[in-house]
Amino acid sequence: MESLPEPVRVVQLPDGTYTYADQLPATFQPTQVVHQHIHQAPPDRTVQRIALGSGIGAGAVAAGVYFGPLLVGAFTAIAANLALLAFLAVALAWGVHTVVKSIGGPDGMAAAKTLAKSRRSLRRR
C-alpha cells in the first residue's frame, strides 16, 4: 500500500462548498503600502503628480513630459548659436580694429581712437 498515492483531502470552505485541499486559493497577502513623498519620485513623475493633482488632464501631462525636454534642447541650440554669433562679432571687431590701427598710420590711429570713443559711449547707454 505504500506505492499507492495518498488520497486527496476534501475540505469544506467557509461558504459551505467543498473543494480539494490541493486546489485551495492562495492565502491573502495584503499589498505593502509604500509611503512616498512627492519630492522622492523621479522628476517626470513629480511633474505628472503635480499636474494631475491640480486637475490637468493626462493629455496635458503627456504633452509636458514630451515637449519639456524638446523645448530645453531647442533653447540650448538657440543659445549656442547666439553665443557663436557674439564671439564672431567680437573677433571681427578686434580684427578690424587691429588692422586699421597697424596699417593706417596717423589716419588709422585717429580712426581707431574714434571707434574706441564711440564704443565707450555705446557702453554707457
Side-chain angles (χ1 to χ4, degrees):
M1 290 263 206
E2 292 178 18
S3 62
L4 293 175
E6 193 173 312
V8 182
R9 287 187 11 193
V10 176
V11 293
Q12 184 177 10
L13 298 176
D15 63 354
T17 59
Y18 293 93
T19 185
Y20 293 108
D22 60 349
Q23 294 178 357
L24 286 175
T27 58
F28 176 73
Q29 296 179 353
T31 58
Q32 182 179 3
V33 177
V34 178
H35 181 74
Q36 186 176 33
H37 290 279
I38 194 166
H39 65 274
Q40 294 173 331
D44 58 335
R45 292 273 170 83
T46 303
V47 170
Q48 290 175 359
R49 289 178 184 179
I50 291 171
L52 290 174
S54 65
I56 297 176
V61 173
V65 170
Y66 178 78
F67 288 115
L70 201 64
L71 285 174
V72 169
F75 290 150
T76 303
I78 291 169
N81 287 337
L82 290 176
L84 180 65
L85 288 175
F87 175 76
L88 286 175
V90 168
L92 288 173
W94 175 79
V96 167
H97 172 78
T98 304
V99 168
V100 168
K101 191 175 178 182
S102 65
I103 294 178
D107 293 333
M109 293 285 189
K113 286 181 184 178
T114 304
L115 283 175
K117 286 179 186 177
S118 68
R119 199 171 347 153
R120 275 191 230 127
S121 67
L122 287 175
R123 282 189 211 156
R124 289 182 192 155
R125 289 184 191 175

